[in-house]
Amino acid sequence: MSPNRRPLLRLSHRERVPRHEHPHHQVAYPSHGVLEVSTDAGTWIVPPHRAVWLPAGVAHAHRAHGPTQLRTVNFEVGVPGFAGPAVLAVSPLLREVVVALTGRDDLDARRRADLHRVALDELREVRQLPLHLPTPADDRLRAVADALTADPADGRTLAEFGRAAGASERTLSRLFREEMAMTFPQWRAQVRLHRALVLLASGRPVTAVAAECGYAGPSAFVHAFRRAFGTTPARFRTGADAR
């Protein structure tokens, strides 16, 4: 069990935590707001009442979307965990354990150790959520990624993006599979979902989020969101489905 220097951190909208790393594993849990985590390998979006596992030694930075209350729990290197950063569903029990470890000053060492063991048991059972956007290495692929990240509603085809980036559709399609481990349509869908989570955190209504992210309409957005996360945007934002 590693001590937390700042187990509870309150961040304002768009506030950043500079790039840093830890000698221990860490679970970061935004009980309010949406947390963006960036590493050399890409970006993860962590909605409220979800968590992100950050392995020891992985340099990362945070950015808050909406007023964000961030709780962190540290674990010694060597405990079972995940090989890389991972966004996780959070069970009600794990949520209460994290809140206790980060919000109570009356816990003695034995009780804290017991709660850490409970947290590790719960982490073994949680599911990972598809909230990672890899960072491309190829310049042509990065040009496409940057364009879509800047405007997820951009409806150009891969061939049209390719003409602007100086690469054929076939080449870009291959690069998406090799570097991103997904197809172009899958990556576009991820970009739109990432932006949707950020906009929802800022309080934007579902109709506006659907339009700004390039969906055909609110119903198409809700359908895509439910297919990805098993719930509606409204329930996801409030954490009502977080178990």
Side-chain angles (χ1 to χ4, degrees):
M1 178 174 63
S2 297
N4 287 27
R5 292 183 179 179
R6 300 180 68 186
L8 178 57
L9 186 64
R10 290 180 173 85
L11 303 172
S12 58
H13 180 47
R14 295 187 177 178
E15 184 175 351
R16 297 176 183 270
V17 177
R19 185 179 173 92
H20 62 286
E21 60 184 74
H22 308 287
H24 44 257
H25 302 314
Q26 185 177 86
V27 167
Y29 169 75
S31 51
H32 299 286
V34 168
L35 185 70
E36 179 181 326
V37 179
S38 300
T39 76
D40 290 339
T43 302
W44 288 257
I45 292 290
V46 192
H49 305 291
R50 275 71 180 174
V52 59
W53 173 272
L54 295 165
V58 173
H60 59 280
H62 298 313
R63 183 182 183 185
H65 296 283
T68 300
Q69 183 171 279
L70 179 61
R71 299 173 183 269
T72 59
V73 177
N74 299 335
F75 298 92
E76 296 288 354
V77 173
V79 302
F82 301 86
V87 178
L88 310 171
V90 174
S91 68
L93 177 56
L94 179 57
R95 181 166 62 248
E96 293 305 316
V97 169
V98 170
V99 169
L101 286 170
T102 57
R104 291 180 56 180
D105 297 324
D106 60 337
L107 298 174
D108 59 25
R110 181 189 62 80
R111 183 58 176 151
R112 284 189 173 275
D114 289 343
L115 289 174
H116 269 81
R117 282 192 287 272
V118 173
L120 283 173
D121 286 342
E122 287 295 295
L123 286 168
R124 294 188 184 101
E125 303 298 326
V126 299
R127 60 188 174 89
Q128 293 190 47
L129 300 175
L131 291 170
H132 174 216
L133 276 182
T135 299
D138 186 276
D139 289 341
R140 297 162 296 179
L141 195 59
R142 190 181 303 113
V144 177
D146 288 347
L148 263 180
T149 301
D151 180 14
D154 191 328
R156 282 181 288 174
T157 65
L158 187 57
E160 290 170 328
F161 277 116
R163 284 194 287 273
S168 69
E169 179 180 11
R170 182 176 180 179
T171 295
L172 288 176
S173 181
R174 174 180 57 80
L175 288 171
F176 265 104
R177 292 193 302 271
E178 291 177 355
E179 291 198 19
M180 313 293 236
M182 63 183 81
T183 65
F184 171 67
Q186 289 171 333
W187 196 85
R188 190 205 294 267
Q190 286 287 84
V191 169
R192 288 177 171 174
L193 288 171
H194 270 221
R195 179 62 60 83
L197 290 170
V198 169
L199 293 174
L200 288 169
S202 70
R204 301 282 288 169
V206 169
T207 52
V209 174
E212 291 182 41
C213 293
Y215 293 98
S219 60
F221 169 47
V222 172
H223 176 74
F225 201 95
R226 188 190 294 274
R227 184 173 56 190
F229 304 121
T231 188
T232 65
R235 287 180 60 82
F236 198 89
R237 175 161 50 189
T238 61
D241 65 308
R243 77 176 51 245

